[in-house]
DNA sequence: GGACGGGGTCGTGAACCATC
DNA sequence: GATGGTTCACGACCCCGTCC
């Protein structure tokens, strides 16, 4: 560890999971001392995770008890980490052990898996046999079992678009290199969603002409909701690309971009705040066409059905209709019930209205949907 | 028998909500 | 505004049925 710039923690990055006792105090102390707070675990060397002592299950210099911060400040010095690492000897609580802990895949592990596929001259767009992953497990490509890697690959990784896969591989390769600063040779992943044309007809017109988004979905979407909890990290779409480029990639729940399979949880707060550029839209069309072989018009239609989310559009084109990919009768239901709402209604009022309609159930929605998704779709349709 | 896909279980964490 | 409990969704892991 080194000290640079101003403050005890200058140049250092910490991640404090939600729920850690004294989290807010530690955050304040770190920031006051020039350190930075990461919103997600990166799995990279430059980040220290601060946890409750009794929850640290193994010794690791990058996983320390949260008291480390206050103690360093008391001593006005960066203390040796050893006394703050996981160890049953000093822990006031028994070390929690699990027979089969479920470890999250980090981006480095995803990159390692993909790099392994590439290194073995295999097509990373196609499923691979269990035997292949047996080999990967034997070579300890990750700490996960072969079956786990097999499942993760076929259910998650294989669905990523080539640009994302390349980015993960690139991240992994850079982490393996000493300097860690090799320039990325892969396509940047766009971080914004496309507000597509207003109707299918418009989509078809646009398909011949490449749809160009013209403005944000709504002013409300450009600012965080006022009721967002203090500890909620900033929307990932605001940070994903810079984080990738700086190597600070989220490992908890994957690289974030509109191109990934959208987490419904994430969608509840993370909405597009920018407009895609012409180049970005072109890239998406090319990606969709390359991945599925469909004509441009179909790609445009898929983008429309997916509210402008290219990754959902990809699933749509693969006949994997996710819940946030909308069908005609569902759009009709939304417009029938909510299109006449006053324009000055706020998000909360609209959602209250949506809840009431869902509760009354007089005009049931064809598919079960969350209030948040309906609200988002409404914003999209009204745009 | 191996590959593959579907689906179940369970741990985790974010979002939401009620209470103080 | 802070805190704690609840709900919900995701993903890791596992199992099983089907197909070749």
């Amino acid at each position: 560890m080194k000290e640079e710039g101003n403050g005890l923690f200058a140049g250092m990055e910490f991640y404090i999971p939600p729920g850690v006792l004294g989290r807010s105090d530690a955050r304040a102390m770190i920031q006051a001392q020039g350190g930075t707070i990461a919103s997600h675990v990166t799995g990279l060397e430059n980040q220290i995770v601060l946890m409750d002592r009794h929850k640290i299950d193994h010794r690791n210099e990058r996983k320390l008890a949260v008291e480390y911060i206050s103690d360093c400040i008391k001593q006005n010095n960066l203390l040796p980490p050893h006394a703050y690492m996981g160890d049953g000897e000093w822990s006031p609580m028994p070390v929690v052990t699990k027979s089969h802990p479920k470890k999250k895949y980090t981006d480095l592990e995803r990159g390692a898996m993909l790099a392994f596929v590439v290194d073995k001259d295999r097509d990373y767009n196609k499923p691979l046999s269990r035997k292949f992953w047996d080999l990967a497990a034997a070579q300890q490509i990750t700490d996960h079992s072969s079956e786990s890697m097999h499942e993760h690959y076929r259910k998650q990784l294989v669905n990523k678009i080539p640009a994302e896969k390349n980015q993960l591989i690139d991240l992994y390769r850079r982490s393996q290199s000493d300097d860690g600063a090799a320039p990325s040779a892969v396509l940047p992943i766009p971080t914004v969603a496309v507000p597509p044309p207003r109707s299918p007809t418009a989509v078809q017109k646009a398909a011949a002409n490449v749809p160009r988004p013209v403005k944000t979905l709504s002013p409300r979407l450009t600012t965080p909701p006022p009721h967002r909890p203090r500890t909620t990290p900033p929307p990932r779409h605001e940070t994903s690309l810079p984080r990738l480029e700086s190597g600070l990639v989220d490992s908890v729940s994957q690289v974030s971009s509109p191109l990934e399979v959208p987490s419904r949880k994430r969608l509840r707060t993370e909405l597009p705040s920018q407009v895609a550029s012409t180049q970005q839209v072109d890239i998406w069309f090319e990606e969709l066409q390359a991945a599925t072989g469909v004509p441009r018009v179909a790609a445009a239609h898929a983008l429309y059905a997916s509210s402008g989310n290219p990754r959902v559009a990809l699933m749509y084109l693969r006949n994997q209709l996710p819940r946030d990919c909308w069908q005609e009768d569902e759009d009709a239901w939304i417009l029938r019930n909510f299109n006449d709402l006053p324009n000055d209604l706020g998000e909360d009022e609209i959602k209250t209205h949506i809840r009431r309609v869902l509760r009354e159930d007089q005009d049931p929605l064809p598919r079960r949907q969350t209030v948040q998704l309906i609200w988002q779709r409404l914003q999209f349709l009204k745009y």
Side-chain angles (χ1 to χ4, degrees):
Chain A
M1 271 181 257
K2 59 182 177 182
E3 210 174 334
E4 41 182 64
N6 296 323
L8 207 52
F9 305 123
M12 296 171 68
E13 180 182 286
F14 297 87
Y15 171 69
I16 314 175
V20 169
L21 205 60
R23 184 177 190 249
S24 55
D25 289 344
R27 286 169 68 101
M29 285 188 273
I30 290 166
Q31 286 169 337
Q33 290 292 329
T36 56
I37 303 293
S39 56
H40 305 90
V41 176
T42 64
L44 296 174
E45 288 292 313
N46 66 341
Q47 187 187 71
I48 294 174
V49 178
L50 298 170
M51 301 176 66
D52 291 326
R53 261 180 191 268
H54 63 278
K55 290 183 180 171
I56 304 175
D57 54 4
H58 63 282
R59 289 183 70 79
N60 183 332
E61 286 198 359
R62 300 288 154 196
K63 197 180 278 188
L64 306 178
V66 70
E67 295 86 24
Y68 178 71
I69 298 303
S70 55
D71 288 357
C72 284
I73 289 176
K74 277 181 204 161
Q75 303 285 330
N76 195 27
N77 194 16
L78 284 181
L79 301 172
H82 305 91
Y84 300 87
M85 288 155 55
D87 188 334
E89 287 176 10
W90 54 257
S91 173
M93 298 281 283
V95 174
V96 179
T97 57
K98 294 172 188 169
S99 54
H100 295 290
K102 293 184 178 183
K103 295 169 290 185
K104 295 271 187 184
Y105 278 85
T106 65
D107 287 309
L108 283 177
E109 288 173 328
R110 295 188 185 97
M113 289 169 65
L114 289 165
F116 184 69
V117 172
V118 171
D119 291 345
K120 294 291 174 189
D121 291 327
R122 307 296 283 266
D123 183 354
Y124 66 17
N125 293 312
K126 291 180 181 170
L128 293 160
S129 70
R130 279 192 165 85
K131 274 187 178 175
F132 181 86
W133 295 113
D134 285 341
L135 180 65
Q139 297 189 18
Q140 298 185 316
I141 298 303
T142 73
D143 289 338
H144 298 261
S145 68
S146 62
E147 188 162 10
S148 174
M149 282 191 277
H150 176 68
E151 289 294 309
H152 185 72
Y153 185 78
R154 74 184 178 92
K155 288 179 179 172
Q156 308 288 332
L157 285 184
V158 83
N159 291 323
K160 289 187 178 295
I161 62 170
E164 287 177 283
K165 291 172 184 169
N166 290 337
Q167 205 149 14
L168 287 169
I169 293 170
D170 190 55
L171 173 73
Y172 170 70
R173 303 257 195 245
R174 274 187 285 143
S175 77
Q176 298 301 102
S177 66
D178 287 334
D179 61 3
S184 168
V186 299
L187 278 175
I189 296 180
T191 58
V192 292
V194 189
R198 189 178 165 80
S199 67
T201 312
V203 168
Q204 287 173 3
K205 277 186 203 164
N209 243 346
V210 183
R212 302 288 182 233
V214 293
K215 62 174 182 180
T216 54
L217 294 179
S218 80
R220 180 67 185 269
L221 302 185
T222 62
T223 53
H227 60 270
R228 175 177 292 162
R230 274 181 310 120
T231 55
T232 303
R236 302 264 294 283
H237 61 80
E238 293 172 2
T239 57
S240 60
L241 192 55
R243 285 166 60 81
L244 265 178
E245 286 173 345
S246 63
L248 303 178
V249 179
D250 167 33
S251 66
V252 173
S253 55
Q254 306 177 26
V255 179
S256 178
S257 89
L259 294 179
E260 77 182 274
V261 176
S263 148
R264 275 185 283 279
K265 205 187 291 182
R266 231 174 288 147
L267 281 172
R268 290 161 86 161
T269 53
E270 293 172 23
L271 299 162
S273 65
Q274 298 176 49
V275 176
S277 69
T278 297
Q279 291 77 12
Q280 285 166 339
V281 173
D282 283 335
I283 288 170
W284 292 348
F285 272 108
E286 285 166 17
E287 296 276 10
L288 288 171
Q289 290 183 277
T292 63
V294 300
R296 201 176 187 83
V297 62
H301 182 78
L303 274 171
Y304 176 80
S306 61
S307 302
N309 185 320
R311 176 157 282 281
V312 178
L314 178 61
M315 295 174 73
Y316 176 87
L317 290 170
R318 287 176 170 167
N319 291 323
Q320 303 161 342
L321 188 67
R323 193 158 63 166
D324 39 350
C325 199
W326 295 82
Q327 301 172 93
E328 224 175 302
D329 51 349
E330 294 168 329
D331 282 348
W333 182 88
I334 289 173
L335 292 173
R336 192 164 60 241
N337 284 286
F338 309 114
N339 198 35
D340 293 329
L341 290 177
N343 286 334
D344 57 352
L345 280 189
E347 178 183 337
D348 289 340
E349 285 104 334
I350 295 173
K351 285 182 176 175
T352 300
H353 193 80
I354 294 171
R355 285 192 193 93
R356 202 182 66 235
V357 170
L358 287 173
R359 215 174 22 245
E360 288 170 356
D361 209 29
Q362 288 172 352
D363 180 11
L365 183 62
R367 270 193 305 168
R368 189 169 166 265
Q369 292 283 12
T370 64
V371 172
Q372 174 69 16
L373 284 176
I374 294 169
W375 175 79
Q376 277 182 237
R377 186 61 175 176
L378 178 64
Q379 302 310 300
F380 174 78
L381 292 173
K382 288 183 81 170
Y383 161 75

